[in-house]
Structure formats: C-alpha cells, structure tokens
Amino acid sequence: MSGADNVAGQFEAELVRLYDAAGHPSQAELIRQAAKQPRPLRLKPQSVSDWLGGRAIPDDDNVVRFLVAYLQAIAKRQSGYQPPRFQDWRSLAEASRTAKRSGAPARGRTPTRLLTTVSTWPLVRELGPLEMGVHPAAYLPSSTSPLALWLEARSQARTVPAYVPRDHDRELAEALDAVRRRGSGVVLVVGRSCTGKSRSAWQAVSAAFSGWFLVDVRDHRQRERLAAGDSPVGDCILWLDNAHLSDDVPGVVAAAIAALNAPATGQRIVVATMWRQPELDGPGRPLRDLAKLAGVPVHVAERWTAREEDLARTLAGPDALLMSALAQPGYSPPQVLAGAKWALGLWRTPRFRETTALLNAVIDLAGVGVGIPGGPPLTGALLEQCTPPYLSRPPDDRDWYQRALDEATTPLEDALRALTPPTTPDDGYRLFDPLLDYARRERWHELLPAAAWAALAAADLGREHALRLAATAQHRLLLREAAAIEQRAASMAPARSSVPPRSTAPEPREAAPTPLTTATSTEAALSQPTTVDMVASDAEPSIPRPLRLSLTNTDRGRADRLLEADDLEELRALAVRSNDSYIRRRLARLYERRGDRRSLRELATFSNRGARHYVELLCEEGDITELLRLAASGEGFALRALNGWQITGLNDTERQLILTVGLTPDGRVCDPPDET
C-alpha cells in the first residue's frame, strides 16, 4: 500500500491478523489480563469483540499498547515472527482513526503489513527462560507485596529469580563444548521435577550459544516448518525440554533426530531434558534412541550442596524471591518456587471436592497453633474428626476421607506434597509452607467449627499445648471451649521438658483483651510519618518481616494529598508500587471514609492498620454481628472493641453479658447459664 492510499480499515485488519497468529486466545482472559496491568484497563466484552473482529479501533493508545504487546508475546512463541515497533502500530492506528473520522483517504507514510512471519528463525539471545519452559516462580507471601497481589486480583508475576551457579554447570558446559567441537550431537540433562535442570540448560545455552538460531522442537508449528524443509540457515540449537512430557513423544524425538541428521549449512545441537535417563534395554524406544545419541547425561541433583546454598544466600541479598525460597525447609529452592503454584492449584481445584475441605481443616487448625512447629502435632485421628464440618454436602460414599487424604498427600509433579504425612509416630501432618502462608491469609477471618473445637478438647495434645490452646480460645471469647480444654489439660501429667518456643512458626494475630482506658484517635496516630518503619505496626499475618528503613517521605506526602483529594485509583497505584505501611494506612483510611466495607475487610486480612480501620467502621455503624464473628475468628481488634471501645447500639449491660458468657464458635452470644 502506498503512502497515499486510503488506510481506513488497515489497522483493524492488521489486529485481526495478529489475533489469528496468536491462536485466538480467550477474550475473557484478555480482559482479565488488562485489569491486572500497572494502570488497570477496564475493557468491555463488546468492545474487545469489535476490536478483534476488525469492526472498530480502540480510542486509547494505552489499550492499543496492551492488545499489541499481549498478542505479540503469544504470536512470537507460536509462529516465530519478529514483532514490529509499537510506534508503527500507533501510527497506523492514528492514520486509520483520521481516515474514518474524515471519510477521506489518509495521506502520509504508513506501515504496510505489520504482522510478517519471517523466514528466519529466532536467535537464542532473543528468547527468555520462561518462553523455553523454565517454570515461573510462584507467589511466596514473604517475597511479594500482598497488597499488590490483592489489588491485581492475586495475579502471579511471571518471573524467575536470580540464577545460582550449580555444581553441575561446569560438566554441562563441557558437554556442550564437546558436541560443538564434534560438529553436532545431543546433550541430555536429567533430574527430578523442579530440580532446576531446565534453568541450568537454558543458562548454559544462552551463555555460550547466544548467536545461534533456536528451534523449539516441542512446538508442532516449528516441527511442521522443519518437515517442509524450512530449516535455519546457520548454527542451530534444537530445544527439547522435558521430552518425556511432550504430547507426541515419538514424533517430537523423531523430528529432533531428523533435523540433527539432515544436510545443513551449520552445526546442530539437540539439548534435551527429562526426569530420568531411560533404560537402554527397556521400553520407550524414542527416548532410548535419544539417550544413546547423548551418551553420558548431565545429572542435576535434587538436593543442593552446602556450597550452592551458601552462594545462593550471597546472591539472595537483592532477590527477595530467592531469599524466601531458601527459607523453606524440606525442599530445594527450585522445587519451592515452582511447586507453590501446584500446591495452590490443588487447594483451589482438586480432583475431589473433599480434598479442599480436608486442606481447609488443616489450614484453620494451623491458625490456632495445631500442626505447625512448636505446636501439637496434627494426628490422623484429629484431622479425620475435624474435616467433615467443612463439607458443603454429605459425601456420596464412605471412602471419601481416604480419597481426599490420598490426593492431598500424593507428590505433585513428582516434586513435593501439599500435605506431608507423618514420618514417625510422634510427627503429624504438615502443610507445605508456601501454601499455608497464602491460605491462612485467604482464610484469616474464617471460623473454626464447633466440632473441631470439641475434637481438640477431647484430644491428647499434651498439658502445655492444651493450656496454650485454651488461652487461644479465651482470646476469641470462646469461654466454654477454653474451660473444656483447661479441664482436659488438668487431667494430663506435666511434660518432662518444656514445650519448645514457637519462634519458627508464625503466631496468630490475636490481641490480648486489654481494656482501652482512653479513646484512640486514628488520625492522630497517622499524622506523623516516621523515617524508620517497624512493619510490626502494620504487619502481614503469618509473615515475619524485618525492620525496614523507609525513605519514601515524598511518597508519603503524596499519599496524604491523594487522600485529601479522594483519589482512590492513584492512591492504590502508589500503595502497590511503594509497599509502604504508612501509604497502606492512608489507603485504609480512604476506604473507611468512603464506607467501602468489602475492600476494607479484604485489606484487613493482611494489614493490622486495615484491620483496625475495619473494626472502627463496624463500631461506628453498630454492626455487632460482624464484630462478634471477627472476635470468634481471632481478630484481636474486634476483641479490643468489645472490651472497651464505643460501639453504636451496644450498651454497657449488653457488653458485660458478652464478656461474661462468651461466644459460640459460630460467633453468636452464648446463652446465659441457667441460674436454677
């Protein structure tokens, strides 16, 4: 098309072609992703349908930028084309808008056929680890701003932590160099799921072969190009990550070997990874043939050596994600970073609905100190008694509990368990730490059922553990449950040794029931920002956080101005970017001022200041039912409010009755004792 041609409709046509090249991703997913942008875009389904159907042009260049970036990232992986500059897209969009508004041909130089599938293949340096099969790091609460995750619909950032050099790296580099000297061949890397083999392989390839072409043999479109004779002209890496998991193992391996042996104008190296080396005389011929070509594989150990861990801690200084993974016991950092996503997935969408009920029981019991380090072990008998109340409807058969337990304790992707069964008679069931951290935040205000409290009162927890649990019940105003547990503890013999401190486990956020003798002014407490921010004053539950210097006085001043201007969107964006506790307090204040109870309640699940604001709002509105429910769930500010704050509609007699007779586990006031 010449520069003088009418370009009306050209942008629409190019966007349709890009949508086709991306394989028609779900419009609903596209709308969700737009809402998760740093500056959220609220797209309407009808508008998206019109844009992707070639019937309209977005008026906002930010929308154009998002659509193009999102679709091009997918199309680049699937069809191997070189994306044009955004400036070209924007120029074409503006030219098309002008032509449609004027109804006349648009003059000037405009790009033609932006979406061009090129005959050349991508170079290694043009690709990244996530595109080549490296697992994105899952969300870990202690490494990621919980505020950002909440406001962005708990999206998981697709990222990888800093690479930690491994002991096998030298062997892998030598194997690749030996194949290069021979001219062609296969390098095989083996290791269990999530041990870091894909990351190590990609790190070695990108370091030594950045200028080579790359063919992703897993992609059927790229295999079709090879079969049609469209092979790279030059040196080439044939990438075959997790070969044993391919949808067509014989076809994928055959394509790699055929490309390796075909006449070519450059060197060919197949880089393959798999969980284990196939038996040379066993079943699975395609993988066996590939292993024979490779010779001695490079083994990636599941457990990290002391040298690797020391090096990782050195590198983890600026990398909160890696530091958080190193803090998780029982698994290597790659297993933690990838496996957290699987554990969360099992909790949310298991095969059997009873599995979610069982895991919810484990999560809520951890909230009162059972099944975590320093607390009483979660025995199989106790878990079986506490699970039924979490079912929304009766199971269809008698084997439901064992079925749920089997699913919860089965290793995920052969790497880790969401729920680890006891290893000795004195142990109990333990939930995978990242899942526990995340899920307890999600279920912070959920109530532990009465049947679970009854099971705890009847269980042999040990005297010290039972007394500690009784204190927890007391702080929730569950006075009858506390008395029953204390009575059970009285019948137990004192332990020979003291219970180990629970410093390794997160404490439930429960405030002691101390009466408030003077009125507390929230605004006065918030009026003076400090230069040293003790995050404990606004701590996220379940996550110990260090002393942090705050150098964001400029941001804090801006937060004050945004609060005064009632600018919710900008204040939320500032809170996400800074992750500053003072700015979180400003955000909580704005929600409170607007009466946005839902947002304030969700903010309260990970912010002490948000929790206080929420409880203050309930006191002002006189929502006593919700206050009682929060107190029974362990929200310390609700207990403080009942103990001494001014609550609309609650007189002193009613307050004294609540504090005297206590609450039921479902958050209702207990019936007074029968005086007769």
Side-chain angles (χ1 to χ4, degrees):
M1 178 180 292
S2 68
D5 286 338
N6 187 344
V7 297
Q10 186 176 347
F11 173 84
E12 297 95 310
E14 292 292 345
L15 188 61
V16 169
R17 295 180 64 239
L18 176 57
Y19 186 53
D20 291 340
H24 299 91
S26 164
Q27 294 183 17
E29 177 62 21
L30 192 146
I31 292 172
R32 283 195 294 271
Q33 293 297 330
K36 297 175 184 178
Q37 299 303 299
R39 292 182 63 89
L41 300 172
R42 308 300 178 186
L43 305 184
K44 297 180 179 180
Q46 184 58 53
S47 297
V48 174
S49 179
D50 289 343
W51 297 332
L52 300 180
R55 296 181 294 274
I57 306 173
D59 294 327
D60 186 350
D61 280 342
N62 289 325
V63 174
V64 174
R65 183 185 297 275
F66 164 72
L67 291 173
V68 168
Y70 179 80
L71 295 174
Q72 281 188 161
I74 300 175
K76 183 178 179 181
R77 293 195 301 268
Q78 296 186 351
S79 56
Y81 84 103
Q82 296 294 340
R85 300 177 306 162
F86 172 71
Q87 181 61 38
D88 293 335
W89 281 99
R90 184 168 58 183
S91 298
L92 184 58
E94 182 57 34
S96 294
R97 292 190 198 110
T98 301
K100 293 186 73 172
R101 284 195 299 266
S102 65
R107 304 288 176 176
R109 187 171 183 79
T110 56
T112 61
R113 294 190 64 79
L114 294 178
L115 183 61
T116 304
T117 301
V118 296
S119 59
T120 57
W121 293 77
L123 299 176
V124 169
R125 63 170 170 261
E126 297 170 346
L127 301 169
L130 293 176
E131 295 173 280
M132 306 318 299
V134 176
H135 291 294
Y139 158 70
L140 296 178
S142 52
S143 69
T144 308
S145 164
L147 179 61
L149 290 163
W150 167 55
L151 291 176
E152 297 171 7
R154 296 186 175 88
S155 62
Q156 175 183 307
R158 292 182 59 82
T159 184
V160 293
Y163 181 70
V164 178
R166 305 286 303 277
D167 290 349
H168 58 259
D169 285 349
R170 181 176 179 179
E171 180 186 356
L172 177 55
E174 290 175 349
L176 287 166
D177 188 58
V179 172
R180 173 160 47 183
R181 290 197 304 269
R182 291 199 305 267
S184 65
V186 179
V187 174
L188 178 62
V189 182
V190 298
R192 289 192 62 192
S193 177
C194 295
T195 53
K197 59 185 181 299
S198 299
R199 182 76 186 277
S200 292
W202 179 250
Q203 204 74 17
V205 166
S206 59
F209 303 90
S210 63
W212 286 36
F213 292 109
L214 187 136
V215 176
D216 190 348
V217 190
R218 304 166 303 173
D219 188 335
H220 72 90
R221 295 180 181 86
Q222 298 190 34
R223 296 200 301 271
E224 291 171 359
R225 289 182 66 183
L226 291 176
D230 181 12
S231 61
V233 180
D235 299 332
C236 174
I237 295 292
L238 298 163
W239 184 257
L240 188 49
D241 186 43
N242 282 322
H244 59 293
L245 298 179
S246 300
D247 53 357
D248 178 16
V249 173
V252 169
V253 174
I257 295 177
L260 184 67
N261 296 328
T265 58
Q267 293 178 281
R268 299 288 187 267
I269 299 179
V270 176
V271 179
T273 70
M274 60 184 70
W275 284 2
R276 60 186 66 85
Q277 184 181 15
E279 298 293 337
L280 297 182
D281 56 354
R285 179 175 177 179
L287 294 178
R288 186 173 69 242
D289 292 343
L290 190 67
K292 286 181 178 179
L293 291 173
V296 179
V298 177
H299 289 274
V300 176
E302 179 177 4
R303 297 296 180 186
W304 283 25
T305 65
R307 189 199 71 84
E308 290 171 339
E309 290 186 354
D310 290 343
L311 183 57
R313 291 188 178 90
T314 301
L315 295 174
D319 193 324
L321 194 62
L322 181 57
M323 182 68 80
S324 185
L326 286 166
Q328 302 298 330
Y331 301 102
S332 69
Q335 290 175 319
V336 172
L337 292 173
K341 177 178 64 176
W342 298 327
L344 289 171
L346 177 67
W347 173 50
R348 288 172 171 153
T349 56
R351 181 181 178 188
F352 305 110
R353 65 181 178 88
E354 296 88 357
T355 304
T356 296
L358 183 145
L359 292 175
N360 282 340
V362 178
I363 294 162
D364 292 354
L365 287 169
V368 295
V370 178
I372 59 176
L378 176 56
T379 65
L382 182 59
L383 180 57
E384 188 170 4
Q385 287 178 289
C386 292
T387 300
Y390 287 86
L391 293 168
S392 57
R393 64 179 187 274
D396 297 331
D397 56 74
R398 297 180 179 179
D399 298 330
W400 66 269
Y401 175 77
Q402 189 60 49
R403 182 173 62 231
L405 185 63
D406 289 344
E407 184 176 20
T409 56
T410 297
L412 301 168
E413 300 290 335
D414 197 33
L416 52 84
R417 291 180 171 91
L419 183 65
T420 302
T423 55
T424 70
D426 295 331
D427 290 337
Y429 286 91
R430 283 289 308 277
L431 204 62
F432 183 47
D433 279 357
L435 172 58
L436 178 60
D437 287 344
Y438 187 96
R440 284 183 64 187
R441 186 189 312 285
E442 288 280 290
R443 296 185 58 81
W444 192 254
H445 290 149
E446 296 297 326
L447 296 166
L448 189 66
W453 283 109
L456 289 170
D460 186 6
L461 304 177
R463 183 183 179 88
E464 288 80 3
H465 289 312
L467 290 175
R468 182 179 295 160
L469 182 62
T472 297
Q474 182 85 18
H475 288 167
R476 296 178 177 220
L477 286 182
L478 305 179
L479 305 184
R480 295 181 181 179
E481 283 69 25
I485 297 172
E486 286 178 347
Q487 184 177 1
R488 179 81 171 92
S491 65
M492 302 177 187
R496 294 182 179 179
S497 59
S498 61
V499 177
R502 294 172 59 186
S503 59
T504 57
E507 289 284 351
R509 188 183 66 193
E510 298 191 17
T514 303
L516 299 183
T517 56
T518 60
T520 302
S521 171
T522 303
E523 285 303 314
L526 301 180
S527 61
Q528 297 295 327
T530 58
T531 55
V532 177
D533 182 11
M534 280 293 290
V535 184
S537 67
D538 191 33
E540 284 74 19
S542 311
I543 302 174
R545 298 175 67 89
L547 180 70
R548 181 179 64 202
L549 291 177
S550 175
L551 303 177
T552 58
N553 287 332
T554 301
D555 285 342
R556 291 182 172 191
R558 183 165 177 246
D560 288 333
R561 293 190 294 272
L562 292 172
L563 174 62
E564 184 178 355
D566 201 49
D567 192 336
L568 176 60
E569 182 177 353
E570 288 297 324
L571 184 55
R572 288 197 308 186
L574 181 62
V576 170
R577 177 174 59 81
S578 65
N579 195 30
D580 184 280
S581 63
Y582 178 80
I583 299 175
R584 289 202 297 268
R585 293 197 293 268
R586 303 282 83 186
L587 179 62
R589 185 59 178 168
L590 182 52
Y591 282 136
E592 181 182 17
R593 193 167 69 191
R594 288 189 170 198
D596 187 347
R597 290 182 52 173
R598 178 177 178 181
S599 295
L600 194 56
R601 187 182 192 276
E602 291 181 358
L603 183 65
T605 63
F606 56 82
S607 168
N608 275 351
R609 177 52 62 182
R612 182 172 187 126
H613 274 289
Y614 181 55
V615 171
E616 287 173 344
L617 181 63
L618 296 177
C619 292
E620 181 181 343
E621 294 180 348
D623 192 342
I624 301 173
T625 300
E626 178 67 3
L627 279 173
L628 296 180
R629 188 183 185 283
L630 287 180
S633 71
E635 177 52 69
F637 287 112
L639 181 58
R640 289 186 181 185
L642 291 170
N643 210 6
W645 294 3
Q646 182 175 352
I647 303 174
T648 301
L650 184 69
N651 59 43
D652 290 341
T653 301
E654 293 168 330
R655 184 195 303 270
Q656 189 59 40
L657 176 64
I658 294 172
L659 296 176
T660 301
V661 302
L663 304 175
T664 63
D666 60 356
R668 294 180 294 107
V669 180
C670 288
D671 295 329
D674 188 356
E675 296 181 357
T676 61

